[in-house]
Amino acid sequence: MKHIIISAALSAVTLISTGCSGFLDEEMKSTLGPDNTYTSSYGFELAATGLYGWARSEFNTWGEATTSQGQACPYEMFQIATDIVHQGQQMDGSLKPFESLSYTPSTTFVVSYWNWGYGLISSANELLKYADINTNWDNDTDKALYQATARFFRAYAYRYLVYLYGDVPYVETIETNYRTDFTRTPKAEVLEKMINDLKFAEENLPENPDKVETGKLTTWAAKHLLSEVYLMAGLYTEAKTKADEVITSPYFHLMQQNERFGAEKDKPGDVFHDMFIENNQNRTSGNMESIWVMQYEYQTDGGGGAYDDWTRRAWNPRYWDKLEGFTLADSLGGRGLAQIVPLTWWIEDQTDFYDANDIRNSEYNIKRHWYYNDPQYPDKVGKEAPITKETREKNQIYPVITKFFYGKADNLTYEGNNKDRMKFRLAETYLLKAEACIQLGDTKGAKEAINAVRKRAGATEISESQATMDFLLDERIRELVGEELRRFTLARTGKWLERVKKYNSYSAHMDEHHLLLPIPQYIIDLNTGAEFPQNPGY
């Protein structure tokens, strides 16, 4: 365990020194370390930027980042074996164990997410340690600001660890001696620590999102995450209160249908589609719904790289792969790999899953019609290509969400998805509130929260009797599919097993023990000084 923490901290220094343009000159990079970094507000800003960089690599595939997950499908692991997708193309083996539920304590992502989480925690703890020592601050508020940033990211890392592994060691200091006697802290205690961190963060992060650098945290991001963590802890009144604080904030509102904005506001489309167009994620574009946005801009210092986020490749079909009449195009999402494919029950089979006027079901947001585009076949260009059993089985064309359509005309084979990523947006805050209300038996409050989201979409408003957990989970598909980590949502609401068995025949043999990943085996092997039990079933 100590080995993970120390090596992760060293990796964080490397990430900080190489990923933050403008903070360091070349000759300083080889000498960067905690003792000569944490000596001023400038140094703490550098370290905080490193935390953002570490967090941003949560779906990094391989290469390029210190915190790579080591295989092609880390993001997909959070979507597969749920109620929304099945595995598409089979060429990469990293996803298969998660659909077949055959992962082991040595499976790549089982190990890499443990390391990613504790790496981020270690870096946060290091910043907090030196913040307590440092006396050289530019402003009286700097110390609390950087502590708040570190504590937010520590809670953010534990969010992953608790969802994935259950009881995990809570580490809040940098260990100076080698330890082999870590124990698993009960989940309830870890959640309490996370809540304390996020309370500190909400009190000490900036309030006005228009007065911080794009992508930086504010009190509202802490409140949004705190609402979710309260739900995880079963503190539903507190979850509702925090969601309400964000919803009633003067800084955010749901983007309504008459508020077209951004790069394509004068082109055919709708406001929901606008949110997912490149460069439309931040407030500077006019998007008043985004609460926290990870920065991944293409070919931009401090942005993402080709391996940081392959969500586009995951969702988008292989229309370009031996399907006569099609060629690569940025307008069709670039070079998709169809690593995950939507289950037909929600996107194709049920004619009433979306209301007729629901803009989230428009052609701009779900592509159900594919038109030939290859000039080598002039007789076909512009004509509609039929979706058939064969095109589905070959993962070539089928109905698909367009949230992750992204291609670069200057490099059509480019792997990355370098659009900024909306991590928290207001529509989800409304749905977190609805979840809290349902758990409290407040069907009126749940109805109102859900209807706020549906009204923006042009969907029919629901009644109190319809405000159930299953309806809410369906609504989260309509609104947040691909954005949320579906594995987390289903685990938190206690509906995972039920809905997989109902909707997903590919993973229908799931049982209770699959709801947690195994503890990485090497952690158990190294921790010889205390009992460190494996999760049941492994």
Side-chain angles (χ1 to χ4, degrees):
M1 178 75 69
K2 175 72 182 306
H3 170 74
I4 305 169
I5 296 171
I6 291 177
S7 63
L10 293 174
S11 298
V13 171
T14 303
L15 179 66
I16 292 167
S17 65
T18 59
C20 309
S21 175
F23 283 105
L24 294 174
D25 296 327
E26 287 296 324
E27 60 269 24
M28 293 179 64
K29 290 180 180 178
S30 62
T31 61
L32 181 68
D35 290 331
N36 61 15
T37 299
Y38 295 111
T39 57
S40 65
S41 294
Y42 180 82
F44 281 89
E45 175 64 21
L46 171 62
T49 302
L51 295 178
Y52 283 95
W54 193 289
R56 190 173 63 227
S57 68
E58 61 191 347
F59 304 135
N60 184 277
T61 53
W62 32 32
E64 213 170 76
T66 305
T67 54
S68 168
Q69 305 298 346
Q71 289 289 341
C73 300
Y75 161 84
E76 295 87 319
M77 186 268 284
F78 296 95
Q79 311 295 344
I80 206 75
T82 68
D83 55 353
I84 59 170
V85 297
H86 66 89
Q87 186 176 3
Q89 68 95 359
Q90 304 283 323
M91 289 187 293
D92 184 274
S94 63
L95 191 58
K96 186 175 181 180
F98 293 93
E99 177 161 81
S100 64
L101 305 170
S102 60
Y103 40 81
T104 73
S106 299
T107 299
T108 298
F109 302 139
V110 170
V111 175
S112 69
Y113 273 102
W114 182 281
N115 294 345
W116 175 86
Y118 278 107
L120 183 53
I121 290 162
S122 176
S123 299
N125 285 342
E126 183 177 72
L127 188 155
L128 290 166
K129 172 187 173 181
Y130 282 89
D132 280 336
I133 298 170
N134 184 60
T135 58
N136 180 30
W137 301 102
D138 291 348
N139 302 293
D140 292 341
T141 58
D142 283 357
K143 179 178 179 178
L145 171 64
Y146 293 118
Q147 288 177 322
T149 301
R151 293 182 71 170
F152 175 93
F153 280 116
R154 184 165 66 184
Y156 186 74
Y158 272 114
R159 169 182 179 253
Y160 278 76
L161 294 170
V162 168
Y163 272 130
L164 293 177
Y165 306 99
D167 300 344
V168 293
Y170 190 81
V171 182
E172 56 187 341
T173 60
I174 296 293
E175 300 289 346
T176 56
N177 297 310
Y178 189 86
R179 285 184 56 188
T180 60
D181 61 348
F182 286 91
T183 58
R184 298 181 65 177
T185 308
K187 175 181 173 180
E189 292 183 26
V190 178
L191 290 171
E192 183 178 358
K193 298 280 191 180
M194 294 164 64
I195 288 168
N196 289 336
D197 274 349
L198 291 170
K199 284 182 175 179
F200 184 91
E202 71 169 333
E203 291 169 2
N204 292 284
L205 287 170
E207 177 183 346
N208 189 339
D210 295 315
K211 292 186 177 181
V212 300
E213 187 178 350
T214 298
K216 289 295 183 70
L217 294 166
T218 65
T219 184
W220 310 107
K223 290 176 185 290
H224 176 100
L225 182 54
L226 190 50
S227 179
E228 181 186 334
V229 175
Y230 276 134
L231 288 171
M232 295 170 70
L235 299 171
Y236 303 122
T237 299
E238 292 86 345
K240 178 183 176 182
T241 297
K242 286 302 160 189
D244 266 331
E245 289 177 12
V246 180
I247 289 167
T248 58
S249 161
Y251 299 108
F252 309 100
H253 65 263
L254 295 177
M255 299 300 294
Q256 301 300 321
Q257 292 192 44
N258 62 353
E259 291 185 280
R260 295 291 307 280
F261 70 97
E264 297 183 10
K265 65 180 181 180
D266 297 322
K267 296 182 179 180
D270 55 54
V271 72
F272 191 77
H273 181 67
D274 286 342
M275 285 193 287
F276 303 96
I277 295 170
E278 185 182 9
N279 301 319
N280 278 11
Q281 287 69 55
N282 297 303
R283 293 175 66 83
T284 51
S285 70
N287 187 343
M288 296 296 105
E289 193 161 328
S290 290
I291 299 168
W292 179 37
V293 184
M294 279 188 174
Q295 304 298 297
Y296 285 103
E297 290 98 329
Y298 179 63
Q299 294 184 345
T300 301
D301 289 342
Y307 297 93
D308 274 330
D309 185 351
W310 277 7
T311 307
R312 169 181 62 83
R313 291 159 64 92
W315 280 95
N316 292 349
R318 301 173 66 91
Y319 63 91
W320 50 270
D321 186 13
K322 301 176 183 178
L323 184 56
E324 186 178 286
F326 281 96
T327 188
L328 277 173
D330 56 348
S331 61
L332 297 181
R335 188 172 177 269
L337 292 184
Q339 290 158 326
I340 50 178
V341 175
L343 293 167
T344 60
W345 75 268
W346 65 269
I347 202 168
E348 194 167 3
D349 294 345
Q350 285 196 37
T351 57
D352 61 348
F353 188 75
Y354 290 91
D355 279 5
N357 296 321
D358 193 330
I359 63 173
R360 298 168 300 187
N361 190 41
S362 75
E363 179 66 16
Y364 304 109
N365 298 309
I366 297 181
K367 187 169 183 60
R368 291 188 169 90
H369 301 282
W370 292 81
Y371 298 91
Y372 296 111
N373 70 333
D374 190 345
Q376 294 187 53
Y377 299 90
D379 292 343
K380 289 189 172 185
V381 171
K383 295 180 179 177
E384 184 169 357
I387 294 173
T388 66
K389 180 180 179 181
E390 183 178 11
T391 67
R392 290 185 186 91
E393 290 177 348
K394 291 184 176 181
N395 305 311
Q396 292 169 321
I397 55 173
Y398 46 81
V400 66
I401 59 174
T402 64
K403 288 179 178 179
F404 304 108
F405 270 33
Y406 175 88
K408 303 308 293 182
D410 62 335
N411 186 0
L412 288 175
T413 62
Y414 180 70
E415 294 98 337
N417 181 53
N418 296 109
K419 281 194 303 186
D420 293 335
R421 191 180 191 98
M422 293 181 286
K423 291 299 298 186
F424 303 157
R425 66 180 177 92
L426 190 62
E428 183 178 22
T429 318
Y430 275 96
L431 298 181
L432 290 175
K433 177 183 177 179
E435 184 178 330
C437 289
I438 290 169
Q439 296 286 15
L440 290 167
D442 178 10
T443 54
K444 181 177 184 293
K447 176 199 73 171
E448 291 172 351
I450 293 170
N451 280 340
V453 176
R454 289 179 65 79
K455 184 177 179 180
R456 184 272 296 281
T460 304
E461 296 185 27
I462 65 168
S463 65
E464 283 190 42
S465 64
Q466 292 175 287
T468 65
M469 190 64 75
D470 277 313
F471 188 93
L472 174 62
L473 290 171
D474 287 351
E475 192 66 22
R476 287 185 68 99
I477 295 175
R478 288 183 279 264
E479 182 69 28
L480 299 169
V481 66
E483 300 171 73
E484 68 170 344
L485 302 185
R486 190 64 172 178
R487 179 187 186 106
F488 289 177
T489 299
L490 295 180
R492 184 181 66 249
T493 57
K495 285 284 192 172
W496 192 0
L497 193 61
E498 174 188 331
R499 287 181 68 100
V500 166
K501 289 185 176 296
K502 181 177 181 179
Y503 293 120
N504 188 346
S505 62
Y506 298 87
S507 302
H509 59 293
M510 175 183 282
D511 62 38
E512 290 285 346
H513 93 273
H514 294 117
L515 302 182
L516 292 176
L517 296 182
I519 302 297
Q521 188 60 45
Y522 87 96
I523 296 300
I524 295 174
D525 293 343
L526 287 174
N527 204 71
T528 57
E531 183 180 2
F532 204 92
Q534 181 58 272
N535 279 331
Y538 301 102

